Amino acid sequence: MRYVGLSYVRKKNPGLREKDNLVFLKQDEVEKKSINQNLKKQLWLVRLRSLINGKKYLEALSYLKSIPLPSLKLSSKRVYEEDGAEIVYGLMQKSYMDANYSRAVRVWEVYSDKYLAKVSQDPYINFLVGKSYLRLGLTKSFERLMKRFSNIDGLPKRTFPEWVERDTSYNKKNMRNELLALNKYQSGSWDDLLDLTKKMTILDFPKLNLYRGYASYKKKNYNNSIKSFENFIIGKKNELPLNTDEMGDLLVGYSESLYEKGRLEKFRRIADALVKELELKVKDGGEKLSGAIERIEYLYIETIAGMSKPDFGKVESRIKGFLKKFPISIYDGRLQYLLGKNLIKNFKTKEAEEVLKKLVSDEGVSSYIKELAKSELSELMLNRRNL
């Protein structure tokens, strides 16, 4: 147990070699019978902290519930409860970064009395809760939290170990300004959001350029949104942690601004790289980024299909890949039409006819797309007769 505690629990980022040491925490039947109460408590603690350090917060919470805390002495019980505060802190932080706002709020409300009293005066945890309330549209809960947030004076005194890494790049003023900006963003008050950012500096609000970019993009002021997004991306503040919603909004806003301004060569270069990077993040659990991938990939296909000398094979491959990846998409009809048109140009007339006929008979496709498909189909038939 001591070896696991030293090699895994106390290591900041344990690797596979350290994880292999967790096997020493398993007990056979003989050991289960012979272990005394003190060793049993030590084993519970090492197992619990190994789950926390491995960022397995849900498992850690379940394991903590299985420990008979009421039967322990007050001093021992307090140790586990303090670790419980770390578990809840980590779970809330992970929930927010994954854009799982309902779980973040639920954890806060269920465990705030039992465990979070230890960290309830931490500005950052209140910051995450406030942002989650806003994302869920719970404005009254947000207003109550803002009153409490104003009364928090700095960081709470620590009386127990920190197992969950804290974000130290923000101070209380930064957090308050971001909450005010997010409130404007969620309500769609783009002019108010821009006015708010004009009263601040980067030191006051590290995500200043990010939110200026959001507001300018929503107002269709694409030159300003490009400038603001690029200032954020290349600036030192781009190291600030963004959750999946913030990342998706940034990448869609930036790439679509380039597309709308006709900076297509730069858009294609950036979009292709972004899609590949985002797909890796989705594999790692960032499912909410799928919407950003869908939008950027669609715009990319539009640009390569609209080139004066398109690569027909590439267009066909990207469209078919998109339709396989997103079987239910708002861009389905438009891309089916582009696929049929591309197949005709690439002399794959039989497949083109099948695609266009299917499109025309599809009741879920808009009348405008159907008319375009009928036009292509009619021209295909006429050319075939002439031949």
Side-chain angles (χ1 to χ4, degrees):
M1 283 190 291
R2 291 184 184 279
Y3 180 66
V4 174
L6 182 65
S7 64
Y8 185 85
V9 175
R10 292 192 175 274
K11 190 148 188 175
K12 192 171 183 181
N13 293 301
L16 290 174
R17 183 181 294 178
E18 288 80 21
K19 287 180 182 178
D20 289 341
N21 295 336
L22 295 175
V23 71
F24 294 124
L25 298 181
K26 293 183 179 179
Q27 298 171 275
D28 58 30
E29 290 303 316
V30 175
E31 288 173 324
K32 285 180 182 179
K33 292 177 182 178
S34 61
I35 191 169
N36 62 42
Q37 187 62 25
N38 285 333
L39 281 176
K40 197 177 286 186
K41 287 191 291 185
Q42 188 73 24
L43 179 62
W44 293 338
L45 196 60
V46 174
R47 280 178 174 169
L48 182 65
R49 289 180 173 178
S50 67
L51 290 169
I52 298 171
N53 204 34
K55 296 179 173 58
K56 297 179 179 180
Y57 302 120
L58 282 173
E59 287 182 48
L61 194 58
S62 297
Y63 187 73
L64 179 59
K65 289 178 182 177
S66 71
I67 297 172
L69 297 185
S71 66
L72 301 179
K73 291 180 180 179
L74 188 60
S75 56
S76 298
K77 182 180 177 182
R78 187 180 295 119
V79 172
Y80 291 101
E81 288 179 345
E82 288 169 349
D83 279 2
E86 287 293 285
I87 294 168
V88 174
Y89 193 108
L91 184 55
M92 287 184 64
Q93 188 165 258
K94 186 177 188 310
S95 298
Y96 176 77
M97 294 306 292
D98 293 342
N100 192 340
Y101 308 115
S102 57
R103 187 171 71 181
V105 168
R106 189 166 62 250
V107 169
W108 169 264
E109 293 181 346
V110 171
Y111 296 104
S112 58
D113 291 336
K114 188 167 186 179
Y115 298 123
L116 279 173
K118 303 286 182 183
V119 291
S120 62
Q121 291 302 304
D122 189 322
Y124 188 68
I125 201 75
N126 282 270
F127 173 59
L128 295 184
V129 175
K131 292 178 79 174
S132 298
Y133 281 146
L134 285 173
R135 291 285 188 175
L136 293 170
L138 302 173
T139 52
K140 289 186 178 179
S141 297
F142 169 73
E143 288 166 3
R144 286 195 297 270
L145 181 132
M146 283 299 284
K147 289 178 182 177
R148 185 172 69 249
F149 190 82
S150 300
N151 296 324
I152 295 175
D153 184 21
L155 290 171
K157 292 179 180 178
R158 307 296 303 182
T159 58
F160 56 95
E162 286 184 356
W163 300 106
V164 180
E165 190 174 355
R166 266 62 170 170
D167 179 11
T168 57
S169 57
Y170 268 31
N171 59 42
K172 184 184 169 185
K173 186 177 182 180
N174 297 157
M175 297 176 200
R176 181 182 177 279
N177 286 336
E178 186 168 335
L179 287 171
L180 294 174
L182 183 59
N183 192 20
K184 301 293 184 189
Y185 177 87
Q186 286 297 116
S187 64
S189 305
W190 311 123
D191 289 322
D192 291 344
L193 178 53
L194 282 174
D195 288 341
L196 183 66
T197 60
K198 288 175 184 176
K199 299 173 186 175
M200 300 176 186
T201 67
I202 292 288
L203 292 175
D204 296 328
F205 182 22
K207 291 181 183 174
L208 181 73
N209 283 310
L210 179 65
Y211 276 82
R212 276 183 184 163
Y214 287 157
S216 298
Y217 164 66
K218 292 293 186 178
K219 285 172 64 64
K220 303 187 187 300
N221 192 335
Y222 300 118
N223 280 328
N224 282 352
S225 62
I226 291 169
K227 181 181 177 181
S228 294
F229 284 138
E230 288 182 345
N231 283 339
F232 178 76
I233 291 167
I234 65 175
K236 289 183 179 179
K237 299 304 179 185
N238 72 336
E239 297 174 0
L240 292 169
L242 301 180
N243 78 353
T244 52
D245 276 346
E246 291 172 317
M247 180 66 74
D249 290 345
L250 164 63
L251 298 180
V252 169
Y254 178 50
S255 57
E256 193 161 334
S257 295
L258 290 171
Y259 175 83
E260 292 292 342
K261 290 307 295 182
R263 296 167 65 175
L264 300 183
E265 187 176 338
K266 185 173 184 178
F267 167 79
R268 280 191 287 268
R269 189 171 64 249
I270 289 173
D272 204 24
L274 283 179
V275 167
K276 290 174 183 176
E277 184 179 340
L278 289 172
E279 284 177 338
L280 289 175
K281 289 184 181 294
V282 168
K283 285 181 181 178
D284 291 336
E287 290 84 0
K288 283 205 170 189
L289 288 171
S290 294
I293 296 173
E294 183 181 5
R295 178 63 179 168
I296 295 170
E297 175 78 356
Y298 163 69
L299 292 175
Y300 179 81
I301 292 170
E302 285 280 6
T303 65
I304 61 172
M307 294 174 75
S308 56
K309 292 182 179 180
D311 181 335
F312 299 123
K314 184 178 181 180
V315 173
E316 180 183 341
S317 173
R318 293 301 283 253
I319 293 176
K320 287 181 176 178
F322 180 100
L323 295 173
K324 184 178 180 180
K325 197 186 307 177
F326 303 104
I328 302 173
S329 172
I330 59 172
Y331 309 115
D332 183 83
R334 171 67 181 171
L335 290 178
Q336 293 282 7
Y337 164 70
L338 287 178
L339 177 60
K341 191 176 178 180
N342 183 76
L343 289 167
I344 292 171
K345 290 179 180 178
N346 204 21
F347 305 107
K348 296 183 177 181
T349 55
K350 187 175 181 181
E351 187 180 352
E353 183 180 345
E354 291 175 0
V355 169
L356 293 170
K357 280 184 175 179
K358 185 179 178 182
L359 194 58
V360 169
S361 63
D362 191 339
E363 294 181 359
V365 175
S366 70
S367 57
Y368 173 71
I369 295 292
K370 282 187 178 184
E371 289 303 317
L372 290 175
K374 285 178 184 177
S375 178
E376 291 292 334
L377 199 55
S378 300
E379 189 175 343
L380 177 64
M381 297 302 182
L382 287 171
N383 289 337
R384 187 176 292 169
R385 285 182 183 179
N386 291 334
L387 290 172

